[in-house]
Every structure is written in structure tokens, then in C-alpha cells.
Amino acid sequence: MISVKKAMPKDVPRLSLLVLEYARYEHSLNSDFHIPEKSIVVRTIKKAMARKDCGYFIAEDAGAILGFCKAEYAVTEDKRVIGFIDSIFVRKIARKRNVGKLMLSSVYKWFKDSKATIVRTFVPAANKPALAYWEHQFFRISGFELEKRIE
């Protein structure tokens, strides 16, 4: 049975491997996406976990991690709390099993407990499956981010 929990420090070794798998996937879609060293991933996860406003949520089945979601929230100058889903990744073998939906349910509850009233995420233009996924989760495009390489 699939369960979702907020990751704890003891989960970092297994979670870091999945974060690296996610980075390799993103790199396959966009060669500009950097694949970090494992030690940097571990340090980044630990640093994020130490923050009250940031969390990694993991989906497990029989002790195996099937996916993760990194989320955080911020308070705006006008005191609104906005949730941000930084990344979500489900292993290929676990897709089509509602793993993403289960993780998002936990993340939304955490956001609500933190008084967030809106949730945002960013999807790279090359990641068509992610865009379709978020639209299926009732997210709507609210703007565009543009970039230009400076040489």
C-alpha cells in the first residue's frame, strides 16, 4: 500500500538518489539542466529540511521510495502565504498509480496548515508531460517566464 510522509533526515540517503534520478530526467529534456554531484544534493536536501517553510514529501510502498515532491511557502509583503511546488517526480515504474496525486494531497494539507491560499509551480517549456500533468491537476497558466542567454 502506498503511503506519503514528510521526509526526515534518515530518509536523505534514499531521497538523494531519487533527486539525482529526477535531475537526469530533466537533463534528458534540456541539456542546460545541470546534474549536481551527489554530495551537493545531500547537503541541499539537509539544508532545506532544516527550514520550517520547506519540505520534501515522499511516497513509499513496502519501503521503496516511489516519488518525491519538494514544496515550500513564502509570506508576501501583504501577508499572503503562497505555496510553491518546486519539483515532483515519480519513478517510471510507479506512474499511473496515483502516486503524484497522493503526494500532492499531503502537500496541499501542509500548505493549508501553513495558511497558504494559493499554490504555484514552474514547468520548463520542454517538459510537455509535466505541463499536461499540472493541467490535469487543475493548474492554469498564469504567466510566462522568459529568458535570454547572455554570451
Side-chain angles (χ1 to χ4, degrees):
M1 180 168 191
I2 299 170
S3 63
V4 177
K5 68 176 187 174
K6 191 170 179 195
M8 303 299 287
K10 68 180 178 72
D11 298 310
V12 171
R14 296 181 308 142
L15 177 57
S16 65
L17 295 176
L18 192 57
V19 170
L20 285 168
E21 187 177 328
Y22 163 75
R24 286 189 294 275
Y25 172 74
E26 287 291 347
H27 181 76
S28 75
L29 297 173
N30 177 0
S31 61
D32 288 338
F33 192 93
H34 175 69
I35 301 173
E37 300 277 334
K38 184 179 179 191
S39 62
I40 293 171
V41 170
V42 168
R43 190 168 48 246
T44 301
I45 292 171
K46 287 179 178 178
K47 192 173 180 181
M49 281 182 168
R51 293 174 33 205
K52 175 185 161 243
D53 63 346
C54 186
Y56 281 87
F57 294 78
I58 56 175
E60 296 178 296
D61 189 9
I65 295 182
L66 304 177
F68 80 91
C69 181
K70 181 185 177 203
E72 57 189 279
Y73 61 87
V75 180
T76 64
E77 287 182 11
D78 60 354
K79 305 293 187 231
R80 292 181 308 137
V81 180
I82 299 176
F84 296 94
I85 296 174
D86 180 74
S87 51
I88 186 169
F89 180 71
V90 176
R91 285 199 160 121
K92 206 171 225 179
I93 60 166
R95 293 182 187 158
K96 306 293 183 195
R97 292 177 55 195
N98 286 325
V99 173
K101 189 177 275 190
L102 290 168
M103 285 190 294
L104 287 177
S105 179
S106 292
V107 169
Y108 295 155
K109 182 184 179 326
W110 182 68
F111 282 151
K112 283 181 184 180
D113 291 347
S114 303
K115 309 292 188 240
T117 56
I118 193 165
V119 180
R120 294 183 176 150
T121 191
F122 172 80
V123 178
N127 195 339
K128 303 294 185 212
L131 185 57
Y133 175 79
W134 287 114
E135 287 177 335
H136 184 73
Q137 299 302 318
F138 303 105
F139 277 66
R140 298 293 171 247
I141 295 171
S142 64
F144 294 96
E145 180 174 286
L146 305 173
E147 76 177 37
K148 176 181 179 178
R149 186 177 299 268
I150 300 173
E151 314 239 357

Tab-separated table of all heavy atoms in Angstrom, residues 76-128:
chain	number	residue	atom	x	y	z
A	76	THR	N	4.148	36.944	1.578
A	76	THR	CA	4.369	38.144	0.775
A	76	THR	C	4.338	39.393	1.655
A	76	THR	O	3.962	39.320	2.827
A	76	THR	CB	3.292	38.267	-0.323
A	76	THR	OG1	2.021	38.450	0.314
A	76	THR	CG2	3.264	37.041	-1.212
A	77	GLU	N	4.706	40.528	1.067
A	77	GLU	CA	4.701	41.793	1.813
A	77	GLU	C	3.316	42.135	2.347
A	77	GLU	O	3.186	42.740	3.406
A	77	GLU	CB	5.207	42.932	0.922
A	77	GLU	CG	6.691	42.876	0.670
A	77	GLU	CD	7.178	44.034	-0.182
A	77	GLU	OE1	6.419	45.003	-0.409
A	77	GLU	OE2	8.337	43.969	-0.630
A	78	ASP	N	2.276	41.711	1.601
A	78	ASP	CA	0.911	41.994	2.067
A	78	ASP	C	0.344	40.848	2.908
A	78	ASP	O	-0.853	40.698	3.060
A	78	ASP	CB	-0.007	42.342	0.896
A	78	ASP	CG	-0.127	41.224	-0.124
A	78	ASP	OD1	0.584	40.212	-0.006
A	78	ASP	OD2	-0.953	41.365	-1.043
A	79	LYS	N	1.248	40.008	3.436
A	79	LYS	CA	0.928	38.948	4.414
A	79	LYS	C	0.161	37.749	3.839
A	79	LYS	O	-0.390	36.956	4.584
A	79	LYS	CB	0.136	39.515	5.613
A	79	LYS	CG	0.808	40.669	6.313
A	79	LYS	CD	2.069	40.245	7.009
A	79	LYS	CE	2.634	41.393	7.847
A	79	LYS	NZ	4.009	41.655	7.595
A	80	ARG	N	0.132	37.610	2.512
A	80	ARG	CA	-0.457	36.406	1.934
A	80	ARG	C	0.582	35.294	1.977
A	80	ARG	O	1.775	35.543	1.842
A	80	ARG	CB	-0.878	36.638	0.476
A	80	ARG	CG	-2.034	37.599	0.337
A	80	ARG	CD	-2.458	37.787	-1.109
A	80	ARG	NE	-1.319	38.135	-1.940
A	80	ARG	CZ	-1.078	37.610	-3.155
A	80	ARG	NH1	-1.888	36.740	-3.684
A	80	ARG	NH2	-0.020	37.980	-3.845
A	81	VAL	N	0.130	34.068	2.156
A	81	VAL	CA	1.034	32.915	2.147
A	81	VAL	C	0.812	32.183	0.831
A	81	VAL	O	-0.315	31.807	0.492
A	81	VAL	CB	0.777	31.980	3.350
A	81	VAL	CG1	1.735	30.799	3.321
A	81	VAL	CG2	0.902	32.745	4.659
A	82	ILE	N	1.911	32.007	0.089
A	82	ILE	CA	1.853	31.346	-1.214
A	82	ILE	C	2.695	30.085	-1.165
A	82	ILE	O	3.857	30.118	-0.744
A	82	ILE	CB	2.358	32.278	-2.339
A	82	ILE	CG1	1.473	33.529	-2.396
A	82	ILE	CG2	2.378	31.547	-3.674
A	82	ILE	CD1	1.935	34.562	-3.395
A	83	GLY	N	2.101	28.976	-1.573
A	83	GLY	CA	2.821	27.712	-1.650
A	83	GLY	C	3.471	27.550	-3.001
A	83	GLY	O	2.908	27.976	-4.019
A	84	PHE	N	4.644	26.961	-3.005
A	84	PHE	CA	5.367	26.697	-4.250
A	84	PHE	C	5.732	25.220	-4.302
A	84	PHE	O	6.302	24.682	-3.342
A	84	PHE	CB	6.662	27.521	-4.326
A	84	PHE	CG	6.437	29.001	-4.364
A	84	PHE	CD1	6.468	29.740	-3.189
A	84	PHE	CD2	6.185	29.653	-5.559
A	84	PHE	CE1	6.254	31.115	-3.198
A	84	PHE	CE2	5.971	31.033	-5.581
A	84	PHE	CZ	6.001	31.755	-4.402
A	85	ILE	N	5.405	24.589	-5.400
A	85	ILE	CA	5.850	23.219	-5.609
A	85	ILE	C	7.070	23.321	-6.502
A	85	ILE	O	6.978	23.672	-7.685
A	85	ILE	CB	4.739	22.354	-6.227
A	85	ILE	CG1	3.584	22.255	-5.228
A	85	ILE	CG2	5.291	20.973	-6.593
A	85	ILE	CD1	2.369	21.551	-5.736
A	86	ASP	N	8.210	23.075	-5.903
A	86	ASP	CA	9.485	23.211	-6.603
A	86	ASP	C	9.681	22.070	-7.592
A	86	ASP	O	10.116	22.293	-8.715
A	86	ASP	CB	10.628	23.234	-5.587
A	86	ASP	CG	11.974	23.361	-6.249
A	86	ASP	OD1	12.274	24.471	-6.722
A	86	ASP	OD2	12.705	22.362	-6.319
A	87	SER	N	9.395	20.867	-7.164
A	87	SER	CA	9.570	19.708	-8.048
A	87	SER	C	8.723	18.551	-7.551
A	87	SER	O	8.446	18.438	-6.360
A	87	SER	CB	11.052	19.299	-8.123
A	87	SER	OG	11.600	19.151	-6.837
A	88	ILE	N	8.330	17.733	-8.500
A	88	ILE	CA	7.636	16.493	-8.182
A	88	ILE	C	8.134	15.471	-9.192
A	88	ILE	O	8.319	15.776	-10.369
A	88	ILE	CB	6.099	16.642	-8.227
A	88	ILE	CG1	5.408	15.353	-7.751
A	88	ILE	CG2	5.620	17.088	-9.586
A	88	ILE	CD1	3.916	15.507	-7.519
A	89	PHE	N	8.410	14.276	-8.696
A	89	PHE	CA	8.936	13.235	-9.575
A	89	PHE	C	8.435	11.884	-9.091
A	89	PHE	O	8.476	11.601	-7.894
A	89	PHE	CB	10.470	13.252	-9.574
A	89	PHE	CG	11.096	12.219	-10.463
A	89	PHE	CD1	11.043	12.337	-11.843
A	89	PHE	CD2	11.732	11.117	-9.919
A	89	PHE	CE1	11.631	11.383	-12.666
A	89	PHE	CE2	12.317	10.152	-10.729
A	89	PHE	CZ	12.270	10.295	-12.106
A	90	VAL	N	7.955	11.088	-10.025
A	90	VAL	CA	7.505	9.729	-9.737
A	90	VAL	C	8.286	8.790	-10.647
A	90	VAL	O	8.377	9.026	-11.854
A	90	VAL	CB	5.984	9.576	-9.982
A	90	VAL	CG1	5.549	8.137	-9.763
A	90	VAL	CG2	5.194	10.521	-9.086
A	91	ARG	N	8.866	7.764	-10.036
A	91	ARG	CA	9.609	6.777	-10.834
A	91	ARG	C	8.700	6.194	-11.905
A	91	ARG	O	7.500	6.007	-11.699
A	91	ARG	CB	10.120	5.652	-9.936
A	91	ARG	CG	11.293	6.066	-9.108
A	91	ARG	CD	12.047	4.838	-8.596
A	91	ARG	NE	13.367	5.244	-8.221
A	91	ARG	CZ	13.865	5.104	-7.000
A	91	ARG	NH1	13.142	4.542	-6.052
A	91	ARG	NH2	15.082	5.503	-6.738
A	92	LYS	N	9.294	5.904	-13.044
A	92	LYS	CA	8.537	5.390	-14.186
A	92	LYS	C	7.699	4.164	-13.804
A	92	LYS	O	6.535	4.041	-14.207
A	92	LYS	CB	9.500	5.047	-15.328
A	92	LYS	CG	8.888	5.096	-16.682
A	92	LYS	CD	9.940	4.953	-17.764
A	92	LYS	CE	9.644	5.989	-18.820
A	92	LYS	NZ	10.588	5.982	-19.902
A	93	ILE	N	8.271	3.271	-13.017
A	93	ILE	CA	7.559	2.036	-12.648
A	93	ILE	C	6.348	2.296	-11.759
A	93	ILE	O	5.486	1.435	-11.613
A	93	ILE	CB	8.491	1.025	-11.931
A	93	ILE	CG1	9.061	1.647	-10.656
A	93	ILE	CG2	9.589	0.537	-12.841
A	93	ILE	CD1	9.699	0.644	-9.719
A	94	ALA	N	6.258	3.495	-11.172
A	94	ALA	CA	5.159	3.801	-10.252
A	94	ALA	C	4.120	4.746	-10.858
A	94	ALA	O	3.152	5.100	-10.191
A	94	ALA	CB	5.720	4.396	-8.968
A	95	ARG	N	4.310	5.130	-12.104
A	95	ARG	CA	3.372	6.066	-12.720
A	95	ARG	C	2.038	5.382	-13.008
A	95	ARG	O	1.959	4.170	-13.108
A	95	ARG	CB	3.982	6.656	-13.989
A	95	ARG	CG	5.166	7.538	-13.619
A	95	ARG	CD	5.810	8.202	-14.783
A	95	ARG	NE	7.032	8.875	-14.311
A	95	ARG	CZ	8.034	9.200	-15.076
A	95	ARG	NH1	7.994	8.956	-16.369
A	95	ARG	NH2	9.096	9.793	-14.563
A	96	LYS	N	1.010	6.172	-13.103
A	96	LYS	CA	-0.369	5.702	-13.334
A	96	LYS	C	-0.915	4.948	-12.126
A	96	LYS	O	-1.806	4.123	-12.260
A	96	LYS	CB	-0.473	4.831	-14.596
A	96	LYS	CG	0.057	5.471	-15.854
A	96	LYS	CD	-0.782	6.643	-16.264
A	96	LYS	CE	-0.259	7.223	-17.580
A	96	LYS	NZ	-0.778	8.531	-17.850
A	97	ARG	N	-0.364	5.216	-10.926
A	97	ARG	CA	-0.841	4.584	-9.685
A	97	ARG	C	-1.288	5.646	-8.673
A	97	ARG	O	-1.376	5.375	-7.493
A	97	ARG	CB	0.261	3.711	-9.076
A	97	ARG	CG	0.595	2.489	-9.908
A	97	ARG	CD	1.733	1.670	-9.323
A	97	ARG	NE	1.515	1.273	-7.945
A	97	ARG	CZ	2.484	0.806	-7.158
A	97	ARG	NH1	3.725	0.672	-7.618
A	97	ARG	NH2	2.222	0.463	-5.916
A	98	ASN	N	-1.524	6.867	-9.149
A	98	ASN	CA	-1.964	7.988	-8.309
A	98	ASN	C	-0.927	8.421	-7.274
A	98	ASN	O	-1.283	9.060	-6.282
A	98	ASN	CB	-3.290	7.681	-7.619
A	98	ASN	CG	-4.455	7.742	-8.575
A	98	ASN	OD1	-4.462	8.556	-9.494
A	98	ASN	ND2	-5.425	6.876	-8.376
A	99	VAL	N	0.339	8.096	-7.508
A	99	VAL	CA	1.393	8.466	-6.572
A	99	VAL	C	1.505	9.994	-6.483
A	99	VAL	O	1.561	10.563	-5.389
A	99	VAL	CB	2.747	7.829	-6.965
A	99	VAL	CG1	3.873	8.346	-6.087
A	99	VAL	CG2	2.653	6.317	-6.893
A	100	GLY	N	1.516	10.660	-7.637
A	100	GLY	CA	1.603	12.121	-7.640
A	100	GLY	C	0.426	12.753	-6.932
A	100	GLY	O	0.589	13.677	-6.131
A	101	LYS	N	-0.760	12.259	-7.185
A	101	LYS	CA	-1.966	12.797	-6.557
A	101	LYS	C	-1.918	12.610	-5.036
A	101	LYS	O	-2.287	13.512	-4.276
A	101	LYS	CB	-3.204	12.118	-7.134
A	101	LYS	CG	-4.492	12.762	-6.706
A	101	LYS	CD	-5.681	12.096	-7.368
A	101	LYS	CE	-5.890	12.725	-8.715
A	101	LYS	NZ	-7.142	12.340	-9.355
A	102	LEU	N	-1.435	11.465	-4.578
A	102	LEU	CA	-1.314	11.216	-3.141
A	102	LEU	C	-0.316	12.171	-2.489
A	102	LEU	O	-0.567	12.708	-1.401
A	102	LEU	CB	-0.909	9.768	-2.876
A	102	LEU	CG	-1.972	8.710	-3.165
A	102	LEU	CD1	-1.360	7.313	-3.139
A	102	LEU	CD2	-3.110	8.813	-2.165
A	103	MET	N	0.824	12.383	-3.168
A	103	MET	CA	1.811	13.316	-2.623
A	103	MET	C	1.244	14.730	-2.580
A	103	MET	O	1.392	15.444	-1.578
A	103	MET	CB	3.106	13.284	-3.433
A	103	MET	CG	3.945	12.065	-3.184
A	103	MET	SD	5.605	12.146	-3.905
A	103	MET	CE	5.251	12.146	-5.654
A	104	LEU	N	0.574	15.146	-3.663
A	104	LEU	CA	0.018	16.499	-3.699
A	104	LEU	C	-1.035	16.697	-2.614
A	104	LEU	O	-1.120	17.774	-2.026
A	104	LEU	CB	-0.567	16.800	-5.078
A	104	LEU	CG	0.461	17.029	-6.180
A	104	LEU	CD1	-0.230	17.246	-7.514
A	104	LEU	CD2	1.380	18.189	-5.853
A	105	SER	N	-1.803	15.674	-2.324
A	105	SER	CA	-2.795	15.775	-1.255
A	105	SER	C	-2.121	16.104	0.078
A	105	SER	O	-2.579	16.971	0.828
A	105	SER	CB	-3.577	14.461	-1.161
A	105	SER	OG	-4.509	14.527	-0.121
A	106	SER	N	-1.001	15.448	0.360
A	106	SER	CA	-0.239	15.729	1.588
A	106	SER	C	0.360	17.131	1.560
A	106	SER	O	0.363	17.838	2.577
A	106	SER	CB	0.864	14.690	1.782
A	106	SER	OG	0.312	13.438	2.071
A	107	VAL	N	0.867	17.524	0.406
A	107	VAL	CA	1.462	18.858	0.271
A	107	VAL	C	0.385	19.929	0.453
A	107	VAL	O	0.601	20.924	1.168
A	107	VAL	CB	2.174	19.008	-1.093
A	107	VAL	CG1	2.567	20.453	-1.354
A	107	VAL	CG2	3.405	18.110	-1.150
A	108	TYR	N	-0.778	19.741	-0.153
A	108	TYR	CA	-1.856	20.731	-0.007
A	108	TYR	C	-2.276	20.864	1.456
A	108	TYR	O	-2.539	21.965	1.925
A	108	TYR	CB	-3.067	20.354	-0.860
A	108	TYR	CG	-2.841	20.382	-2.351
A	108	TYR	CD1	-3.625	19.612	-3.195
A	108	TYR	CD2	-1.845	21.166	-2.939
A	108	TYR	CE1	-3.439	19.627	-4.562
A	108	TYR	CE2	-1.641	21.178	-4.299
A	108	TYR	CZ	-2.446	20.406	-5.123
A	108	TYR	OH	-2.260	20.409	-6.477
A	109	LYS	N	-2.343	19.761	2.168
A	109	LYS	CA	-2.694	19.810	3.596
A	109	LYS	C	-1.640	20.604	4.365
A	109	LYS	O	-1.970	21.446	5.211
A	109	LYS	CB	-2.831	18.412	4.186
A	109	LYS	CG	-3.240	18.440	5.648
A	109	LYS	CD	-3.294	17.068	6.273
A	109	LYS	CE	-3.675	17.094	7.734
A	109	LYS	NZ	-3.245	18.200	8.538
A	110	TRP	N	-0.369	20.354	4.068
A	110	TRP	CA	0.724	21.091	4.717
A	110	TRP	C	0.619	22.586	4.398
A	110	TRP	O	0.776	23.433	5.280
A	110	TRP	CB	2.057	20.498	4.264
A	110	TRP	CG	3.272	21.100	4.880
A	110	TRP	CD1	3.678	21.024	6.181
A	110	TRP	CD2	4.281	21.874	4.202
A	110	TRP	NE1	4.868	21.687	6.359
A	110	TRP	CE2	5.261	22.214	5.157
A	110	TRP	CE3	4.458	22.285	2.887
A	110	TRP	CZ2	6.386	22.962	4.837
A	110	TRP	CZ3	5.578	23.027	2.567
A	110	TRP	CH2	6.522	23.362	3.532
A	111	PHE	N	0.320	22.905	3.124
A	111	PHE	CA	0.137	24.314	2.746
A	111	PHE	C	-1.029	24.934	3.523
A	111	PHE	O	-0.908	26.035	4.044
A	111	PHE	CB	-0.117	24.456	1.245
A	111	PHE	CG	1.107	24.348	0.370
A	111	PHE	CD1	0.995	23.874	-0.922
A	111	PHE	CD2	2.358	24.735	0.811
A	111	PHE	CE1	2.105	23.784	-1.759
A	111	PHE	CE2	3.483	24.657	-0.008
A	111	PHE	CZ	3.349	24.182	-1.302
A	112	LYS	N	-2.151	24.237	3.579
A	112	LYS	CA	-3.318	24.772	4.302
A	112	LYS	C	-2.995	24.995	5.775
A	112	LYS	O	-3.370	26.016	6.352
A	112	LYS	CB	-4.516	23.828	4.166
A	112	LYS	CG	-5.192	23.920	2.832
A	112	LYS	CD	-6.393	22.977	2.770
A	112	LYS	CE	-7.016	23.012	1.397
A	112	LYS	NZ	-8.171	22.115	1.294
A	113	ASP	N	-2.286	24.042	6.385
A	113	ASP	CA	-1.877	24.191	7.785
A	113	ASP	C	-0.953	25.395	7.971
A	113	ASP	O	-0.873	25.961	9.060
A	113	ASP	CB	-1.186	22.922	8.294
A	113	ASP	CG	-2.138	21.739	8.428
A	113	ASP	OD1	-3.370	21.936	8.372
A	113	ASP	OD2	-1.630	20.605	8.568
A	114	SER	N	-0.254	25.768	6.887
A	114	SER	CA	0.666	26.915	6.913
A	114	SER	C	-0.021	28.202	6.484
A	114	SER	O	0.629	29.216	6.294
A	114	SER	CB	1.865	26.635	6.010
A	114	SER	OG	2.517	25.452	6.409
A	115	LYS	N	-1.337	28.125	6.263
A	115	LYS	CA	-2.178	29.280	5.898
A	115	LYS	C	-2.001	29.738	4.447
A	115	LYS	O	-2.376	30.865	4.095
A	115	LYS	CB	-1.959	30.470	6.844
A	115	LYS	CG	-2.077	30.128	8.318
A	115	LYS	CD	-3.483	29.768	8.695
A	115	LYS	CE	-3.630	29.616	10.202
A	115	LYS	NZ	-4.070	28.313	10.629
A	116	ALA	N	-1.442	28.891	3.588
A	116	ALA	CA	-1.319	29.236	2.166
A	116	ALA	C	-2.705	29.243	1.531
A	116	ALA	O	-3.562	28.427	1.857
A	116	ALA	CB	-0.400	28.257	1.445
A	117	THR	N	-2.905	30.188	0.612
A	117	THR	CA	-4.188	30.299	-0.076
A	117	THR	C	-4.080	30.058	-1.578
A	117	THR	O	-5.090	29.982	-2.269
A	117	THR	CB	-4.804	31.692	0.154
A	117	THR	OG1	-3.872	32.688	-0.278
A	117	THR	CG2	-5.140	31.896	1.629
A	118	ILE	N	-2.871	29.940	-2.066
A	118	ILE	CA	-2.638	29.699	-3.488
A	118	ILE	C	-1.376	28.861	-3.631
A	118	ILE	O	-0.486	28.919	-2.788
A	118	ILE	CB	-2.528	31.035	-4.270
A	118	ILE	CG1	-2.616	30.799	-5.770
A	118	ILE	CG2	-1.265	31.782	-3.898
A	118	ILE	CD1	-2.884	32.070	-6.559
A	119	VAL	N	-1.328	28.070	-4.684
A	119	VAL	CA	-0.164	27.217	-4.947
A	119	VAL	C	0.329	27.503	-6.363
A	119	VAL	O	-0.468	27.599	-7.296
A	119	VAL	CB	-0.519	25.718	-4.829
A	119	VAL	CG1	0.706	24.854	-5.116
A	119	VAL	CG2	-1.093	25.405	-3.469
A	120	ARG	N	1.634	27.606	-6.499
A	120	ARG	CA	2.251	27.842	-7.810
A	120	ARG	C	3.322	26.790	-8.068
A	120	ARG	O	3.886	26.219	-7.135
A	120	ARG	CB	2.887	29.229	-7.863
A	120	ARG	CG	1.891	30.344	-7.775
A	120	ARG	CD	2.552	31.694	-7.901
A	120	ARG	NE	1.527	32.724	-7.893
A	120	ARG	CZ	1.693	33.933	-7.433
A	120	ARG	NH1	2.857	34.296	-6.945
A	120	ARG	NH2	0.709	34.808	-7.456
A	121	THR	N	3.607	26.595	-9.338
A	121	THR	CA	4.716	25.733	-9.737
A	121	THR	C	5.289	26.275	-11.033
A	121	THR	O	4.676	27.129	-11.692
A	121	THR	CB	4.280	24.258	-9.874
A	121	THR	OG1	5.447	23.435	-10.011
A	121	THR	CG2	3.357	24.042	-11.067
A	122	PHE	N	6.450	25.800	-11.397
A	122	PHE	CA	7.131	26.201	-12.626
A	122	PHE	C	7.354	24.960	-13.463
A	122	PHE	O	7.768	23.926	-12.935
A	122	PHE	CB	8.481	26.864	-12.295
A	122	PHE	CG	9.325	27.117	-13.512
A	122	PHE	CD1	9.090	28.214	-14.317
A	122	PHE	CD2	10.337	26.236	-13.867
A	122	PHE	CE1	9.846	28.431	-15.451
A	122	PHE	CE2	11.101	26.449	-14.994
A	122	PHE	CZ	10.851	27.559	-15.795
A	123	VAL	N	7.067	25.062	-14.747
A	123	VAL	CA	7.278	23.937	-15.657
A	123	VAL	C	8.153	24.411	-16.816
A	123	VAL	O	7.772	25.351	-17.524
A	123	VAL	CB	5.933	23.400	-16.220
A	123	VAL	CG1	6.172	22.261	-17.189
A	123	VAL	CG2	5.017	22.965	-15.092
A	124	PRO	N	9.317	23.786	-17.023
A	124	PRO	CA	10.127	24.146	-18.191
A	124	PRO	C	9.337	23.892	-19.478
A	124	PRO	O	8.582	22.922	-19.577
A	124	PRO	CB	11.341	23.211	-18.101
A	124	PRO	CG	11.386	22.789	-16.672
A	124	PRO	CD	9.958	22.767	-16.203
A	125	ALA	N	9.507	24.760	-20.452
A	125	ALA	CA	8.756	24.656	-21.704
A	125	ALA	C	8.943	23.309	-22.393
A	125	ALA	O	8.020	22.799	-23.035
A	125	ALA	CB	9.166	25.790	-22.640
A	126	ALA	N	10.125	22.700	-22.239
A	126	ALA	CA	10.402	21.433	-22.917
A	126	ALA	C	9.719	20.237	-22.257
A	126	ALA	O	9.632	19.165	-22.847
A	126	ALA	CB	11.911	21.180	-22.969
A	127	ASN	N	9.208	20.418	-21.056
A	127	ASN	CA	8.636	19.288	-20.310
A	127	ASN	C	7.122	19.209	-20.543
A	127	ASN	O	6.314	19.529	-19.697
A	127	ASN	CB	8.966	19.403	-18.825
A	127	ASN	CG	8.730	18.105	-18.093
A	127	ASN	OD1	7.988	17.245	-18.545
A	127	ASN	ND2	9.357	17.979	-16.943
A	128	LYS	N	6.759	18.752	-21.729
A	128	LYS	CA	5.340	18.650	-22.115
A	128	LYS	C	4.554	17.700	-21.201
A	128	LYS	O	3.416	18.003	-20.844
A	128	LYS	CB	5.202	18.213	-23.578
A	128	LYS	CG	5.902	19.114	-24.580
A	128	LYS	CD	5.282	20.480	-24.639
A	128	LYS	CE	5.944	21.308	-25.738
A	128	LYS	NZ	5.993	22.693	-25.469
